[in-house]
Amino acid sequence: MEAGPWGVCEETAILHGGFLLAARLTQPRPLRELRKADWPRVGPPITDALGEIGARCPSPLQYSLWKKEAVAIVWAKILLPDPPAASLDQGWKEDDFFSVGRMIPDVNHTILFELVKALGAPRLFVRLLLALPQDVHRSELERLVEYIASETSPSDIRFFLDVWWEVMKHQEGQEDATVSMFGTLIRQHGCESSLDDGLQPPKRFKGDPGSLNDPAAATSLLVVLIEGLKQTYRSIALPHLRCYALANLVELLSVFTELQPEGSPLPVAEYLDKVSSVVSLWTSDTESQFHHRGLDEMVKEAERSMSLLSRAKLSREELFVGLDFLCSLLHAWGEELQGTLNSSEELCYESYRLLDTLTTFGKNLVCFSETRDLGEDETRVVLELTQITKDFLKEIGASLKSKGLDTNLVSSVAMTIIEQKLDRHMEMCSVFASEKAWAFSKDWVDCLVKNKALFQKPELVLKLLETLVNFAMLHQDKEARELQMQVTKAIVECYAELSLTDKNKVISGVLASWGGPGLSLNLQVVMEGFQEDLNVTFNQITKSVSDEGLTKAVASVARLTLLYPEATVKQVCNLAVVNLGAHQFLAQILCSFPALSFLETHNDPGRPRSLVVRCLEEAVWGRLSTAREEEQFLEFLAFLLQPSSAAPLVSPAEVTKAFVLPYLKSGSVQIELSLQILSKVLGIQSCSEEHWIKSCHLFPLLLSLCKLLDGYTKYWHQPRDQHFPSLETKDLVLNILCQLCEVVGPETAPSPELWVQSLAWLHRKVASLDWTVGLRLKKLYGDHFKNEVPATLFEICTLPEDEWTSQLLPAYGPGSGLLAWMECCCVSAALRETMLKLLTVNVDNPEEVNLFSKGFLVALIQVLPWCSQSEWKRLMHVVENLLQRQVLHVPYTLEYVQYMPLLNLRPFACYLQFSVLFLRGFQLLCSSSCSTWLPAEAWLHVVQLYCSSLTDLLGSVKSAAGPPSHSAEDRAPTQEVSFVCIQMFCHLLHVAAMLPDKGCSEPLVVVALEILSQYEVFSSADTSPSNTLRRANERHFLESITDNVGDEALRSTLLQKLSKLGARSAGEPA
């Protein structure tokens, strides 16, 4: 209404005319003295005026607003006093209600109550009532009770019960502008009762509105309602009104007292059943006020009746007054009502409410009596009422109480609740998503599509998917497939709006229900175009590898993972290996889905397997064709095990069982990769007290590694057709074994006895392997077993017998003690130091030193071909130690010295001896007596070890000399270092000349060039006057030596390098 609630307009003029006609009909008495009996004669002009206004309103909603404003104007006219004559001039300026209030003649409550009755607007009445100040709304309700109790008619009773029911259903926060302005107006102006309605003098009141949130205000209203029923119940004769009255009283005593259990809302299925029952009753009852309403309105009103909120509770005393009264009513009306109900074919709404509320009330009474401390009289009342309620319900026919509901109606009600977003619509979404009987009707699909935003919760998406799959398994026709496509699209759109955390919840649910194949297992429409979608999506992802593209990529993969988890994971795994540099980005994407850490059981529930690990096995493992692919696979796997900012997607134990344990045996082509994987996973800290390795068949794993080490002792004699890990991998095996011995201890076994038994088992198995393998397990063995070594080792070492024991080994005959000693030195740095400490050589006996030195060289050559890089470095430390202690005698010969060098070579003596020792070793190794000892494949490995030692030796020389200086004052040993470099270069060429032609020149070229570069640095730093002559002579000497090298590639490369040295010193006199 454009003029506002209190504005004067065409509609208020019509209303004014209606009241003028009514006032004329009451003459000579004024309207304010109207009695109930006069309304049928006086009321029509007023109701006709409202009817005329309604005919002018463009919509029913507009008319309902006008009815509300008309009632508010009448009620305000009753409550507000007329302004004094002196204030009339100001009133029309300052008072919004002044003009419209002056248009309406003075009226009383009779007109108000009869007008509301005529309009059928109890809800409107209650909303305006509760907008009044607290003491006013109680007094107004008391006036209504008083009015109803006098000359009571069935319509009066109906009106009173309707008002009561609306008071209980009222919810705060739903006041519109008219109601709010009405309450504000009354509080601002105060209120004065009409003189004919009571004896109270005029008064002014300002206070809060009579909110039901105020316990005292709410309780006082409830008490007034009970009192009203006490005053009027004798006038209630009609069965349906008696049911109505009892239902109201029972509902009040159930909800607004301590009888109601705390926090016990109706289960949603029961709630839906009740709302549907109410709608069904209203639909079939032609006399119901809701019969001609639409389904939306009926559902909304039915839900209001299910959603009573107990904002206040009656006191214990008021409760038992009410229970006593209810007891008396059931005694008075019960038998007659039972007969009436049983003779009826169908329930009306009022009788349904009574039976429903009494059923709940009876349960609450039982709970109340069991959980509360009641007095004797209170217990008597509760027990009596419990029995009466039970007997009453017992006598009602079962057919009335259990009439089945039409499934279509129930589904329509549920969908209406969802579409209207009524109080419990989110719970209804859950029922909607999982109720298979409704699914895939046209209305169901339309409801889902229209209300997708309400289904954006992981639990709802999962229920929808389950319903979808169930339907797909039963319906395969073309129409059903089209519906499936439509619904799948809607569900995927709901899923797409979820957070990543919620998407993972959905994926977890999909995997738990359908395993790795996911929806594709039973939903054929998912597979249509899926492979193309998969390829296109990942093609885009791999082209936009960046942190910025991660979020978008994760969203795309999330959609694919929902539809077909297994295929999506396999695609990621495959691309991580074959797409250069994309592995870490793809691992980040995969780790965004912790749900994929799902464990599959398949046909063996006792041995669950990781989905991701299985996908890795099937899509990648065994198909790695290049070292680069293996490297990317390792890095991808490492990221899955330890992502930077997410939970691990696979566990070390799962990875070890899948990619390590089955392949740790000779002949396995994946053995090197498996060892690298094992090394990586052992570096991952265990998250629990019990180390994860315990679940990986620990002692068989240790034995497999020991067998590999045993195989290395026969490495050069392994069958060529059987794959065996390279010697470069030996250090990896040793490191793994060392790591295992560190993390494994008695605490990893279930009991000490089992630990000892396991050690004994391993010791027995290892006894058949090379004796050095057992030494590597010392940390594991602890004090349980002694170190078992060849008996000949005791000949050169003073070994304590409480830690060491000898064994007779056929391969270690007389004179093999140094060989055994040197093999011990290879085992570990700690054992090497022990061996050096326990070695017994009498340095005062020249013959013994000579014999030891010759034996040492022979033993060194025997050990060399089977050494890994780390073992060889340990032996080089042994050589250095023995040279420095002068236990090892290596005479330095002058075969590559043109003249006696007048230099201080003492600081470099050890390095020169080192170089000569290598030369002597190769002279022995390349001699005719050893010509058939090494297979052709071994020579490259031997040369690589030799070259790595020369590189280390060159580094030591540089460190001993310090940086070269061109300053005359700062005398650096430049000539000495140049001399050492020349000697090392000549020795290297000597070795190269002795080697069989087996493609060993490449490492030799690298080291030779490095030596020459170092020579150039130091010789050019020499500032002595004779430097130019000496350099020319030395270059000539080096060229003459190099000219004699037989290897063409080596010779030409070195001569080219030497010519460059000569070019730099061109012009210098020779």
Side-chain angles (χ1 to χ4, degrees), residues 255-293:
V255 177
F256 297 90
T257 68
E258 57 185 303
L259 277 181
Q260 185 185 38
E262 293 296 329
S264 54
L266 276 176
V268 67
E270 189 178 340
Y271 165 81
L272 175 60
D273 189 63
K274 288 190 175 187
V275 173
S276 301
S277 296
V278 171
V279 171
S280 177
L281 289 168
W282 285 341
T283 303
S284 60
D285 184 0
T286 56
E287 296 182 7
S288 168
Q289 62 175 315
F290 297 104
H291 178 70
H292 296 290
R293 305 274 183 92

Side-chain angles (χ1 to χ4, degrees), residues 33 39 201 217 395 586 682 691 701 740 889 918 1030:
E33 295 178 8
W39 176 257
E395 294 300 321
L586 291 166
L682 282 174
H691 200 282
L701 171 59
L740 283 174
H889 177 58
F918 291 144
R1030 184 171 58 257

Side-chain angles (χ1 to χ4, degrees), residues 702-703 706-707 710 760-775 777 781:
L702 286 166
L703 181 59
C706 290
K707 285 181 176 178
D710 180 66
W761 175 86
L762 182 63
H763 185 263
R764 283 197 307 274
K765 295 290 184 180
V766 170
S768 62
L769 307 179
D770 187 77
W771 64 273
T772 56
V773 175
L775 294 181
L777 298 173
Y781 286 159

Side-chain angles (χ1 to χ4, degrees), residues 397-439:
S399 61
L400 280 177
K401 291 187 284 186
S402 60
K403 183 182 178 183
L405 285 167
D406 180 7
T407 303
N408 291 333
L409 174 64
V410 176
S411 64
S412 297
V413 168
M415 287 184 259
T416 301
I417 291 173
I418 292 169
E419 289 171 353
Q420 297 292 316
K421 296 182 178 61
L422 301 183
D423 281 351
R424 299 181 69 174
H425 68 280
M426 286 312 302
E427 292 173 86
M428 206 53 63
C429 287
S430 179
V431 176
F432 173 92
S434 55
E435 186 54 66
K436 296 174 177 60
W438 312 342

Side-chain angles (χ1 to χ4, degrees), residues 644-659:
S644 55
S645 58
L649 209 51
V650 293
S651 73
E654 291 168 344
V655 169
T656 302
K657 290 173 184 175
F659 301 117

Side-chain angles (χ1 to χ4, degrees), residues 446-457:
D446 289 345
C447 181
L448 173 62
V449 172
K450 288 177 188 174
N451 298 281
K452 284 182 294 192
L454 298 179
F455 291 89
Q456 291 169 11
K457 293 188 178 297

Side-chain angles (χ1 to χ4, degrees), residues 33-37 39 78 107-115 147 196-197:
E33 295 178 8
L34 186 73
R35 303 301 176 194
K36 186 187 287 190
W39 176 257
I78 295 169
V107 293
N108 63 0
H109 283 87
T110 299
I111 288 180
L112 172 67
F113 296 147
E114 291 298 337
L115 178 61
Y147 181 80
D196 69 318
D197 285 306

